[in-house]
Amino acid sequence: MKTLPLFGSLLFLLSTASLFGQNANLPDDLLSEDFHAERREALRAKMPNNSVAVIFSNPVRNRANDVNYVYHQDPNFYYLTGHREPHSVLLLFKEKQRIEGKQTDELIVVRQHNALKELYDGARLGKKGAQTDLGFSVAYEGPSFADLPIDFSKFDQVLFYDFQNDVRDTKEKADLYDLIATFKQKVGYPENSSPTLQLEPQQNNLDTKTLDSLMQELRGIKTAEELDLLRKAVKISALGQKEVMKAIRPGMSELEVQGMHEFIYKKYKAEYEGYPSIVGAGHNGCVLHYIENYKPEIEDGELILMDLGAEYHGYTADVTRTIPVNGKFTKEQKIIYDLVYQAQEAGMKVCRDGATFKEIYNATAEVVNQGLLELGIFKSLEKEDMINPATGRNRYYPHGCCHHIGLDVHDKGHYDTLRANMVITIEPGIYIPEGSPCDPKWWDIPVRIEDDFLVTEDGYELLSDAAPRKSEEVEKVMKQPSFFNEVDLPTLGGEE
Ligand SMILES: [Mn+2]
């Protein structure tokens, strides 16, 4: 190939691209058209007779002035279509319908072509692209939606997620705002002052509850294609944790630590973070969702809590490590760290098909509470000692321990019984903020250890094992050299 002239290479690329239906501008491991079609079929199978499901794309959100936030597709819409553009809507029918002379049980409405917009924002799929790239035999562009002859009153149930009335009307015709308005008009949606629909059952055929429970059933159990992407997202995130362990030094800022993780993600071609990265040194680690990451210099002797997840083709990991900034746990830090580790191990022992989420939580909480009692941090396991009256939660372990991950970091899925091919986190934590009613030597020690697990018939597979978990292993890896420490940039002040 090296010896081919440029033109020949281009021809070769163009011909192979069209041969395999691939676009050289896109990753080659995106979810396939077949995956999305099969997921629509699975949803249709669960839908009640004589029903239609209507699923809208996410709104575009304005950041300030004429700049929008990076667009993020609605996970349900993406799961069912693979479409990454805004201002779209999917209609799934339980039974085949006759629409403009065609028999179909699904149709998609996508953005209309617009040369000027496409000059700035890139090509839109349009009707043709929705047919060829997404595999919908019946597709329309936005303005056609109003004219579609669909009589919604003939369905027993119209399934949709209720609107939060927070979508902006843009200047474009048939944008999401208009699509929703058209839909409301078509189905006779009762507009009132309340932002959410409150209807007596049987008042009409609008159903804003059922769709979510069906999507939970589907999305909670991962298919092989989803597992491939989740494995990559988790591996990338775990490798990020390991690289940062080697690089971290007192004096770095929280932002720099965040940047090192996110550099690794991009290096492995993960597009985004699945949620705002949490990097908290010292007391900041006690703030469960600390995302400012503003501390300019992390200090010798502090712990730093790093809760981050790479998002790879829409699927996000969720991995947390808590490490000593200077490479060595103090005696108290190690005691608390090892206790959280034991709690996580106890949770892992319970994890298998057929166990419940509650059993995992209870296993972790038992270890944490007993351990804190033995250390004298809890004076007793009576409510008045264990529960923080201001929050109503366990004083030092105030959050849950497991959630599904997938297209959402707190993914849709059932939260009662574990089933094979669920992917969940197990993430016990202990946080002892300054001023807590215990010996001050424990103050501002926050530890969370979070890993990602594929639930199997007889146990689990630990997906994030590339990130050291044992305190001794963390210290060992922190002694290794890091390429990040070779980075030598000029200062901003202009001095040498
Ligand atoms: Mn989590």
Side-chain angles (χ1 to χ4, degrees):
M1 281 305 299
K2 255 184 206 149
T3 55
L4 273 179
L6 182 61
F7 187 60
S9 309
L10 277 176
L11 270 184
F12 175 81
L13 279 174
L14 285 171
S15 59
T16 41
S18 59
L19 194 63
F20 299 109
Q22 278 179 8
N23 180 339
N25 292 309
L26 293 176
D28 60 9
D29 58 347
L30 286 170
L31 292 172
S32 69
E33 226 177 277
D34 289 348
F35 166 84
H36 299 293
E38 193 270 323
R39 295 290 82 198
R40 292 196 294 278
E41 200 52 58
L43 175 56
R44 204 176 283 119
K46 288 181 187 291
M47 282 164 54
N49 287 336
N50 195 30
S51 65
V52 54
V54 183
I55 295 139
F56 290 88
S57 61
N58 250 356
V60 173
R61 297 286 183 200
N62 183 256
R63 187 166 183 263
N65 193 15
D66 58 352
V67 173
N68 293 327
Y69 283 103
V70 171
Y71 185 66
H72 189 265
Q73 187 55 280
D74 175 78
N76 289 323
F77 186 84
Y78 183 71
Y79 184 81
L80 295 169
T81 66
H83 193 35
R84 293 187 302 278
E85 296 180 24
H87 305 298
S88 307
V89 57
L90 167 72
L91 272 67
L92 274 188
F93 305 101
K94 175 73 175 185
E95 295 89 9
K96 280 213 153 86
Q97 308 289 315
R98 190 162 188 83
I99 292 170
E100 297 193 326
K102 288 173 219 147
Q103 287 286 117
T104 186
D105 54 11
E106 60 189 25
L107 67 87
I108 192 168
V109 180
V110 299
R111 285 190 300 185
Q112 190 176 27
H113 280 296
N114 179 321
L116 182 59
K117 294 277 182 197
E118 290 178 63
L119 170 71
Y120 278 88
D121 304 329
R124 299 175 172 190
L125 277 189
K127 174 181 168 155
K128 278 232 168 66
Q131 290 170 332
T132 55
D133 292 23
L134 302 178
F136 283 87
S137 59
V138 178
Y140 295 94
E141 292 185 6
S144 307
F145 186 47
D147 305 329
L148 275 186
I150 298 171
D151 176 10
F152 284 92
S153 70
K154 72 174 190 182
F155 296 106
D156 291 337
Q157 278 156 286
V158 179
L159 315 174
F160 62 104
Y161 279 89
D162 203 0
F163 307 103
Q164 302 298 317
N165 290 357
D166 61 351
V167 177
R168 277 193 192 185
D169 197 4
T170 69
K171 288 190 192 117
E172 244 192 289
K173 201 180 160 206
D175 60 7
L176 182 66
Y177 184 93
D178 298 339
L179 294 176
I180 290 173
T182 298
F183 171 74
K184 285 180 171 177
Q185 194 230 322
K186 281 178 187 288
V187 300
Y189 181 96
E191 280 298 356
N192 54 31
S193 54
S194 153
T196 53
L197 188 63
Q198 282 171 0
L199 293 170
E200 295 301 313
Q202 273 111 46
Q203 190 177 334
N204 57 33
N205 64 353
L206 304 185
D207 179 334
T208 57
K209 297 275 181 293
T210 303
L211 183 57
D212 191 55
S213 79
L214 301 183
M215 291 309 298
Q216 280 181 36
E217 283 176 38
L218 291 179
R219 284 176 52 192
I221 308 287
K222 268 60 182 182
T223 70
E225 273 192 274
E226 291 182 286
L227 284 176
D228 280 348
L229 298 183
L230 268 171
R231 279 178 195 283
K232 286 179 188 171
V234 174
K235 181 89 184 266
I236 292 167
S237 309
L239 289 172
Q241 292 282 0
K242 188 173 180 188
E243 286 308 314
V244 171
M245 284 179 193
K246 299 178 197 168
I248 210 155
R249 301 279 183 276
M252 283 180 169
S253 70
E254 289 173 343
L255 285 173
E256 183 176 0
V257 174
Q258 173 186 351
M260 292 191 289
H261 284 274
E262 294 176 8
F263 171 78
I264 300 288
Y265 297 176
K266 299 276 196 285
K267 182 81 182 159
Y268 286 106
K269 302 188 177 71
E271 293 90 342
Y272 303 115
E273 300 80 52
Y275 52 97
S277 300
I278 297 167
V279 177
H283 174 77
N284 294 337
C286 294
V287 181
L288 298 180
H289 288 171
Y290 172 78
I291 58 173
E292 286 76 16
N293 306 344
Y294 230 24
K295 186 169 184 162
E297 286 187 26
I298 55 178
E299 291 164 44
D300 202 342
E302 285 183 325
L303 287 178
I304 187 163
L305 186 153
M306 308 178 291
D307 179 343
L308 308 93
E311 182 182 303
Y312 189 84
H313 302 354
Y315 285 78
T316 187
D318 188 1
V319 180
T320 307
R321 288 293 180 271
T322 310
I323 64 172
V325 165
N326 63 14
K328 183 112 186 86
F329 289 97
T330 66
K331 188 176 150 211
E332 285 76 23
Q333 288 169 351
K334 186 170 156 54
I335 288 169
I336 298 299
Y337 186 96
D338 289 345
L339 185 52
V340 175
Y341 176 88
Q342 302 290 334
Q344 194 191 31
E345 286 280 311
M348 288 158 65
K349 278 207 185 78
V350 178
C351 178
R352 67 192 301 278
D353 180 288
T356 64
F357 281 83
K358 198 164 173 39
E359 283 165 358
I360 302 188
Y361 172 79
N362 288 345
T364 63
E366 163 125 26
V367 172
V368 166
N369 293 336
Q370 274 301 327
L372 292 177
L373 181 68
E374 281 161 33
L375 292 168
I377 295 173
F378 274 147
K379 285 173 191 71
S380 78
L381 297 186
E382 301 299 316
K383 243 191 176 159
E384 53 270 31
D385 285 323
M386 277 182 57
I387 304 295
N388 180 341
T391 62
R393 299 284 182 88
N394 185 306
R395 190 178 286 281
Y396 302 119
Y397 180 15
H399 57 71
C401 114
C402 302
H403 58 83
H404 294 268
I405 57 170
L407 288 168
D408 283 301
V409 60
H410 297 159
D411 207 35
K412 284 203 183 297
H414 284 309
Y415 279 89
D416 39 28
T417 307
L418 297 168
R419 291 291 168 222
N421 293 325
M422 286 181 171
V423 179
I424 63 163
T425 65
I426 301 180
E427 51 172 314
I430 295 175
Y431 317 84
I432 313 175
E434 186 180 353
S436 295
C438 64
D439 189 326
K441 71 179 179 179
W442 304 109
W443 286 0
D444 280 346
I445 296 183
V447 175
R448 175 159 68 250
I449 309 175
E450 174 172 32
D451 285 89
D452 301 338
F453 300 84
L454 169 63
V455 180
T456 62
E457 288 295 333
D458 46 12
Y460 60 82
E461 181 185 338
L462 172 57
L463 302 179
S464 44
D465 61 347
R469 216 158 50 83
K470 266 193 149 112
S471 54
E472 294 81 7
E473 282 166 23
V474 168
E475 288 182 345
K476 209 167 131 195
V477 166
M478 289 188 77
K479 289 196 180 82
Q480 294 176 14
S482 164
F483 67 88
F484 280 121
N485 298 132
E486 307 301 316
V487 175
D488 188 17
L489 294 171
T491 63
L492 295 180
E495 67 265 38
E496 286 301 295

